[in-house]
Amino acid sequence: MNAAEIHDKAIVIDGLICAKWNRELFEDMSKGKLTAANCTVSFWENFEGTVRNVVEMNQLIDANSDLLLKVYTTKDIYRAKAEGKTGVMMGFQNAHAFEDQIGYVQIFKDLGVGIVQMCYNTQNLVGTGCYERDGGLSGYGREIVAEMNRVGMLCDLSHVGPNTAKEVIIESKKPVAYSHCLPSGLKEHPRNRSDEELKFIADNGGFVGVTMFAPFLKAGINATIDDYVEAIQYIYNIVGEDAIGIGTDFTQGHGYDFFEYLTHDKGYARRLTRFGEIINPLGMRTVGDFPNLTEALLKHGFSERQVCKIMGENWVNLLREVWGE
């Protein structure tokens, strides 16, 4: 089979998209033949604000039901593939929405949230993010990890501090993930992960989704799809072919105000970083370019079987193990 045929038959999963949710994006997902995506519905929002975001996402799914369906289990991912739709897996980039209530974990699971990043860049009640001194997983955080394990919710560590991340990996009874990260071996950055961190999560049954967010790629805004594949290959060589997937971190459609919200603590307080200009790698400018990634992986020597694993099968296996179905 050629690259287009392989892409057509593959389960294609993006482990992180935080784009501007609208019809134009959903049509581009369809163009890219995206089977499912972890769609962010919470960054700095509290419980109530996050519930409002979930309501809005539910309304968008209903209004665009010719293109989308809501994912609760891996069976829904396969149903999305069969129906030619994109499955929406709702996720958080911050456990702040749980506030100080362990019971909120079950509530959000019932609403369809299957993936939660433990911290977003800074400290919360669970632990510490990657932009400040890391005190590790709190006692309350251990209770949250246990409850996420119980209900079947993936612990995401992408922007979590190294100490907190390591302690979550050890504490969790189910596999955990960096849903979207890059290797510091190619570029030093607080959000990138060392070879040791990548090996530790893989050695403990965890998973790594590789992002292509330009500020963290070696070539920055001059990156091409080949630079993205270089990062995938680098991580692949550390974690192996069963513990790796895609997590682009597409922010498609967003403008200045969105990135200002992300780069200030709690969305408004002290500045944490400046991303600078954001241009996705040439060849992967939009979600609709996903077929190019399949072609690029094949071009760089990955086998058809390896490509299908990287593009989505590994994500399905991870989520089945964590979600229980």
Side-chain angles (χ1 to χ4, degrees), residues 114-127:
I115 303 171
V116 170
Q117 186 168 264
M118 309 311 286
C119 314
Y120 188 66
N121 298 329
T122 60
Q123 189 162 335
N124 60 22
L125 295 178
V126 168

Side-chain angles (χ1 to χ4, degrees), residues 59-243:
Q59 292 169 340
L60 281 167
I61 294 169
D62 287 344
N64 297 276
S65 59
D66 58 322
L67 297 173
L68 306 176
L69 60 81
K70 188 170 176 177
V71 171
Y72 292 93
T73 71
T74 56
K75 291 178 182 176
D76 295 321
I77 296 174
Y78 288 114
R79 183 163 65 90
K81 181 66 178 177
E83 296 180 10
K85 298 179 181 180
T86 299
V88 175
M89 307 183 291
M90 288 194 287
F92 299 170
Q93 290 207 49
N94 197 342
H96 179 65
F98 296 148
E99 299 183 357
D100 61 357
Q101 298 298 311
I102 298 168
Y104 286 178
V105 176
Q106 180 73 67
I107 288 174
F108 280 120
K109 175 66 176 180
D110 293 345
L111 292 175
V113 175
I115 303 171
V116 170
Q117 186 168 264
M118 309 311 286
C119 314
Y120 188 66
N121 298 329
T122 60
Q123 189 162 335
N124 60 22
L125 295 178
V126 168
T128 311
C130 61
Y131 280 128
E132 60 180 306
R133 183 168 53 86
D134 187 355
L137 186 65
S138 69
Y140 173 71
R142 295 177 194 281
E143 293 182 279
I144 289 293
V145 170
E147 182 66 359
M148 289 174 67
N149 284 174
R150 186 189 71 81
V151 306
M153 191 180 279
L154 177 66
C155 297
D156 183 2
L157 306 172
S158 300
H159 306 325
V160 176
N163 296 336
T164 300
K166 185 174 183 178
E167 291 178 6
V168 172
I169 293 167
I170 293 168
E171 186 73 21
S172 181
K173 302 298 188 288
K174 291 187 175 181
V176 302
Y178 297 122
S179 72
H180 56 296
C181 77
L182 282 165
S184 59
L186 291 178
K187 182 175 182 177
E188 279 291 340
H189 192 282
R191 298 244 295 235
N192 291 352
R193 296 292 169 177
S194 70
D195 292 3
E196 292 75 21
E197 288 175 295
L198 294 169
K199 187 174 187 306
F200 187 77
I201 195 170
D203 287 349
N204 284 272
F207 184 90
V208 181
V210 188
T211 185
M212 54 167 216
F213 194 56
F216 312 144
L217 280 168
K218 183 173 70 174
I221 60 172
N222 297 312
T224 70
I225 196 169
D226 294 318
D227 295 296
Y228 184 30
V229 173
E230 178 189 24
I232 293 169
Q233 179 76 67
Y234 187 98
I235 291 177
Y236 175 97
N237 289 340
I238 295 172
V239 306
E241 70 177 56
D242 297 319

